[in-house]
Amino acid sequence: GLFGGKLLTPVSLRKMTTPVKSDWACGLYVKNVNGHLMVEQSGGAIGFNGDVAYYPEEKLAVIVLGNLNTAGILKITTALAEVMHGETITASLPKAIVLPKEVLERYVGTYAFPDDDDFVVTLHGDHLVADYGRRYRLFPESETRFFIQWWDMDFEFSKNDKGEFAIVTQHFDGKENKGQKK
């Protein structure tokens, strides 16, 4: 109905699906994925989440629903779309490891991203928590790379020219955003 002209005029649909900030349009995530236009919306609540990706040029909809709050839902959507497009599956889930408290402590601090919210990292018992507009537990994938379990985003800590861990790189949707420790 939405893309078939039954709900909106072509002009209104174009306005609704034209990104205005980064890849975000009017409540929708719109971008090209491997040469295919994709319009996506995901969300959830405690205990469940889902993702809907629509490829209007192919009239292909990929809908994944889950009863776990995990980035796996987004990865499954990506993998199914790759299969439907005849591509090689590239999606994989990170695996958390355990790091000693002294390793985690070196990342604690406030990092400033250009044109974005501060990234505040605190230690809570045996794990890191990031406040980045919202609070997220950071799961270590390696000694320097951490992921958010229910969002397809990760952060990599690195040293500055003085040998101090003072840089964090956000990896999200194929893009990098670097922040400096304040």
Side-chain angles (χ1 to χ4, degrees), residues 34 54 68 75 79 86 115 150 163 172 174:
N34 298 328
Y54 183 63
L68 296 172
K75 301 262 187 185
D115 303 323
W150 63 273
F172 176 65

Side-chain angles (χ1 to χ4, degrees), residues 20-88:
V20 292
K21 183 176 181 185
S22 187
D23 292 324
W24 288 100
C26 189
L28 300 169
Y29 193 52
V30 180
K31 67 176 188 165
N32 277 296
V33 179
N34 298 328
H36 306 280
L37 178 64
M38 180 192 71
V39 179
E40 183 179 37
Q41 178 53 276
S42 61
I46 297 172
F48 68 93
N49 63 344
D51 187 36
V52 176
Y54 183 63
Y55 297 82
E57 295 161 351
E58 295 92 351
K59 295 184 178 171
L60 169 66
V62 179
I63 302 166
V64 179
L65 306 173
N67 60 355
L68 296 172
N69 292 104
T70 172
I73 297 297
L74 300 172
K75 301 262 187 185
I76 292 169
T77 303
T78 299
L80 289 172
E82 289 169 341
V83 167
M84 293 305 297
H85 288 121
E87 300 165 356
T88 302

Side-chain angles (χ1 to χ4, degrees), residues 106 158-166:
R106 61 180 147 183
S158 57
K159 295 179 180 180
N160 60 16
D161 54 359
K162 296 177 185 174
E164 306 162 324
F165 280 98

Side-chain angles (χ1 to χ4, degrees), residues 88-164:
T88 302
I89 295 175
T90 59
S92 65
L93 293 174
K95 295 196 181 351
I97 63 170
V98 176
L99 292 177
K101 188 175 182 179
E102 52 272 6
V103 171
L104 298 175
E105 286 173 338
R106 61 180 147 183
Y107 308 123
V108 170
T110 301
Y111 300 80
F113 284 105
D115 303 323
D116 214 342
D117 293 333
D118 282 348
F119 182 72
V120 181
V121 178
T122 54
L123 182 63
H124 289 263
D126 63 350
H127 64 275
L128 294 177
V129 172
D131 190 333
Y132 191 45
R134 168 173 186 183
R135 291 173 58 87
Y136 303 96
R137 180 172 175 178
L138 296 176
F139 292 86
E141 183 176 3
S142 73
E143 195 166 298
T144 58
R145 196 166 185 129
F146 294 74
F147 65 94
I148 297 172
Q149 192 170 35
W150 63 273
W151 194 253
D152 194 12
M153 179 186 301
D154 62 67
F155 299 90
E156 187 170 12
F157 295 90
S158 57
K159 295 179 180 180
N160 60 16
D161 54 359
K162 296 177 185 174
E164 306 162 324

